[in-house]
Amino acid sequence: MTQAVRHDAMRARNLGVVLTEVRRSGPVTRAALADATGLTKTTVSKLVGDLIAAGMVTETGTLRDGERGRPGTTLALSGGRVAALGLEINVDYLSACVVDLTLAVRLRYTQPVDNSSHTPVETLSHLGKIIHRAVDEARAAGLVIGGATLAVPGPVEGGLLHSAPNLGWRDVDVGGLLGTAPSTGAAPEAPRPPAAAGWGFPVEVDNEANLAALGELWFGSGRGDFLHVSGEIGIGAGLVIGGALFRGARGLAGELGHVVVFPGGPACRCGGRGCLEQYAGQEALLRAAGLDDPDELVRRLRDGDGRALRACERAGHALGVALTSATNLLDPGTIVLGGVFAPLFPWISGAAAATMADRLAAMRRAVPELAVSRLGGDAATLGAAGKVIQRIIADPVSHLAAAGAVPGPPAGRSPAGTVR
Amino acid sequence: MTQAVRHDAMRARNLGVVLTEVRRSGPVTRAALADATGLTKTTVSKLVGDLIAAGMVTETGTLRDGERGRPGTTLALSGGRVAALGLEINVDYLSACVVDLTLAVRLRYTQPVDNSSHTPVETLSHLGKIIHRAVDEARAAGLVIGGATLAVPGPVEGGLLHSAPNLGWRDVDVGGLLGTAPSTGAAPEAPRPPAAAGWGFPVEVDNEANLAALGELWFGSGRGDFLHVSGEIGIGAGLVIGGALFRGARGLAGELGHVVVFPGGPACRCGGRGCLEQYAGQEALLRAAGLDDPDELVRRLRDGDGRALRACERAGHALGVALTSATNLLDPGTIVLGGVFAPLFPWISGAAAATMADRLAAMRRAVPELAVSRLGGDAATLGAAGKVIQRIIADPVSHLAAAGAVPGPPAGRSPAGTVR
DNA sequence: CATATTAAGTCCATAACGTGGATTAAATAG
DNA sequence: CTATTTAATCCACGTTATGGACTTAATATG
């Protein structure tokens, strides 16, 4: 239900609105903020004062724009205090990153581990150590972690990982094992992340493909509304519309890999036949090219190897068919190819785009453009951290409650109101 | 951008929250409303007072529940004053309905017209007359029309109908021709419907398939999150998630009819090949059955005609393949078959469900259930009216501004605050 | 039947927050 | 150097929700 608004909620909301606007329009003056938000200068000044006290905004200087009149002091997000932790468990590595409010990446770990040969408990305890180290280093740099998100390679609902075929995991309560209250993830309008359990900050768990899409949105080439295709061993996709992820009823939307390309095609591990994965998945691609190493495939393609080229062309065609269906159903603005498709883009995108153009042009004024992801394997980890930052900026109050009181300078005029 | 909240916005929001809760939980007491919304009894009383003054809520009696303590007076939506107009232009008819706040249908017209043989201007002027009559009759019944929505058979963006192949229309500014400021429709987060232009109330234009899905949500068998398939000459679909329509980037989502079922199949009018429409569209179905009247097809099916049965089975299979792709991409909770599929449900759903079960069961814990629409051709018209009601209930203030001041009884204690 | 108890709804003083006009500060224009 | 313009702050005020006291109307109890 949409919640009732009381005075504190009004204030919390307005703090979020101001902070969002500060991020959106770079360095701005208080006057410009008042203009953009519709609040009065007085109110903006008060809100900004609290945000500065909370270490989320700083004055960056005075705006010398040559106009007459007193110049304004510009405000920008401060990367100095609040940060977020992005985590990822994948088949062959664990990774973590710390990102500050400005989306600058402050720390970054990647540790190769064969997680498919470990139990969930082992892997999560390993991850726990990494979290500890990251939090310590962040603290040493003066940063306060406001929350974390963990990316896992499979569908998640309420902290529960249903299945991760590549890890061999099934029904793992990742949230619980990480030592946090089971947090949101797929729930569309989650009640509110639990205010810290074991770590002193809330931890969420979400699907890697979804987070990779968000990573592309905030750190990569995703602009506006787009579908991000993250081909790994399976093929997943995340749709971003209006800055938010589309998840479907149970958070299982975006399973592009099992869109039917050819109903009578080869059997798929999903029980169906002729799924996209059977034509454009990493395994299928390598088999068709007669190889077993993705890097080798790229080398062959560069060398103009006929069999490799044909394999990619065929995969691109299948991808185009699946993306035609996806475009008809999801109507993405653009389509970003990431994961294994990123390095193969030059050899796959042509056939895919041509197929889509043939099949879509007559019905729509614009066929979605194919773009290549600029992010490597980091997309999901970054997206995980970015998601936390996004929440903090949209609703600074509830997230700062979790991070504890503001450790501001004890002296000076006791600030009229610190962010509560 | 999420807007800043000022005092008036807070109040407006809370009025909407209270009204929404009144609808959600049937007859309720003020005390129960306070409980549910988190507002205090005092505040709820004030808000309810204004809603009663505005004619949107009435006291329905006292709650004699046998508990001790003073019994509460129950409140419910009042159908007596505020209403909405649902309109539809389709190939062979114009229709209109007036629905009150309680979603009771107060008036209903359907006028058979062959609109494909008329120009947009002619058709819209004809519709204008119908609107006038509906508004007059509504007024005679003491109702104030708070807004209207027009359903058209094609994709709409900002009042502009891109193409309606069955009408032979292309790029028609329906909103403009209806004599209103171009209103929203597909825009995801529309700024706000224009407060009345020619009619004294805002008029929106939207796609028939989308509105039919909403009709199913409010008037039919749509529960929770579902995909509504509205097969007419084309096949469209509308996805409802969390009570809201999913529209994609440009409002073109849900084109189920052009999902690829068989990439090498027969050419489709969309330029592609093997689209669902070529297997399960009304024309394809009738051709396969050797008939040209949908009603005749149903008769033959009832009589057990082999050719008709086989045609439906094949169409059901194709529908199952397309819905498999749709489920993987959209993750609907259930799937409601409407339009031409509703009468054919007994003969089509079996094959479709079986195909989906085969292809989806291994990956998900639950395959979306197939349900039949209980609404006839009225789904879109009703959904159109319901959409207006939905908006009014969520935000009573801005819609009542359009409908003019409340014509309450002039005597009595001048109400402290009428809804502004 | 009288009284206690309980819950609904209203009243009133208060607190929180944003508003709007006045004021001060700091720049450019002439 | 003065007028003008814009930024930011200050202060009195209006709006809205709060919370406790109060009134009302029912059931429970003796």
Side-chain angles (χ1 to χ4, degrees), chain B residues 54-419:
Chain B
M56 306 182 87
V57 163
T58 29
E59 303 192 333
T60 55
T62 39
L63 180 68
R64 301 294 305 267
D65 58 352
E67 296 284 306
R68 59 208 251 172
R70 173 177 169 180
T73 55
T74 52
L75 303 163
L77 292 183
S78 161
R81 182 148 326 146
V82 179
L85 187 56
L87 303 166
E88 183 175 0
I89 298 175
N90 217 317
V91 184
D92 45 4
Y93 62 87
L94 295 175
S95 81
C97 68
V98 171
V99 166
D100 68 25
L101 258 203
T102 68
L103 291 186
V105 180
R106 304 290 290 261
L107 290 171
R108 190 178 243 162
Y109 292 105
T110 303
Q111 187 148 10
V113 197
D114 178 12
N115 290 306
S116 62
S117 66
H118 288 89
T119 66
V121 174
E122 289 166 353
T123 296
L124 285 164
S125 110
H126 193 158
L127 183 67
K129 284 182 209 142
I130 291 179
I131 297 178
H132 260 307
R133 227 171 56 201
V135 172
D136 287 347
E137 289 202 32
R139 188 170 299 144
L143 296 172
V144 179
I145 301 292
T149 305
L150 168 60
V152 291
V156 176
E157 225 176 327
L160 188 78
L161 173 59
H162 285 173
S163 73
N166 305 334
L167 287 172
W169 292 10
R170 224 181 149 71
D171 292 320
V172 176
D173 178 15
V174 180
L177 288 174
L178 250 189
T180 58
S183 58
T184 70
E189 186 86 14
R192 174 147 309 195
W199 299 101
F201 49 78
V203 181
E204 279 185 54
V205 185
D206 206 341
N207 178 349
E208 174 218 24
N210 284 342
L211 293 173
L214 292 176
E216 203 62 42
L217 173 65
W218 293 313
F219 297 88
S221 48
R223 284 281 157 269
D225 306 318
F226 64 93
L227 181 74
H228 179 261
V229 179
S230 57
E232 305 291 339
I233 293 171
I235 298 176
L239 179 67
V240 174
I241 298 280
L245 215 47
F246 169 74
R247 295 176 176 280
R250 300 190 190 85
L252 302 178
E255 283 289 347
L256 186 69
H258 301 287
V259 165
V260 183
V261 168
F262 197 88
C268 177
R269 63 190 164 110
C270 77
R273 301 193 143 273
C275 302
L276 175 62
E277 211 166 292
Q278 296 306 312
Y279 297 95
Q282 182 169 297
E283 279 178 38
L285 244 170
L286 291 174
R287 199 182 321 121
L291 302 168
D292 44 37
D293 175 28
D295 298 335
E296 174 66 17
L297 175 57
V298 175
R299 272 192 295 277
R300 293 278 177 102
L301 288 166
R302 285 223 183 85
D303 295 346
D305 179 287
R307 189 170 173 193
L309 289 170
R310 275 193 304 278
C312 278
E313 169 127 10
R314 240 172 283 136
H317 179 70
L319 186 60
V321 170
L323 288 176
T324 296
S325 292
T327 299
N328 277 313
L329 290 171
L330 301 172
D331 181 32
T334 62
I335 295 173
V336 179
L337 298 183
V340 294
F341 295 128
L344 301 177
F345 189 84
W347 300 281
I348 272 192
S349 64
T355 302
M356 291 177 66
D358 278 356
R359 291 172 177 269
L360 288 168
M363 286 286 286
R364 0 196 102 217
R365 23 196 67 191
V367 175
E369 205 181 321
L370 290 183
V372 64
S373 166
R374 290 187 306 193
L375 267 46
D378 292 331
T381 321
L382 291 173
K387 194 182 169 198
V388 177
I389 297 294
Q390 171 69 19
R391 279 175 111 103
I392 294 180
I393 288 182
D395 183 7
V397 176
S398 42
H399 281 266
L400 252 54
V406 180
R413 55 128 158 81
S414 66
T418 43
V419 176

Side-chain angles (χ1 to χ4, degrees), chain A residues 152-171:
Chain A
V152 291
V156 176
E157 225 176 326
L160 189 77
L161 172 60
H162 284 172
S163 73
N166 305 334
L167 286 172
W169 293 9
R170 224 182 147 71
D171 292 319

Side-chain angles (χ1 to χ4, degrees), chain A residues 17-45 48 63 65 70-76, chain B residues 1 3-4:
Chain A
V17 168
V18 168
L19 198 53
T20 302
E21 183 61 24
V22 169
R23 172 170 68 171
R24 198 181 69 85
S25 44
V28 255
T29 65
R30 291 171 174 79
L33 284 175
D35 238 42
T37 60
L39 296 165
T40 60
K41 287 188 293 175
T42 310
T43 305
V44 168
S45 273
V48 164
L63 180 68
D65 58 353
R70 170 178 170 181
T73 55
T74 51
L75 303 163
Chain B
M1 186 190 57
Q3 259 307 310

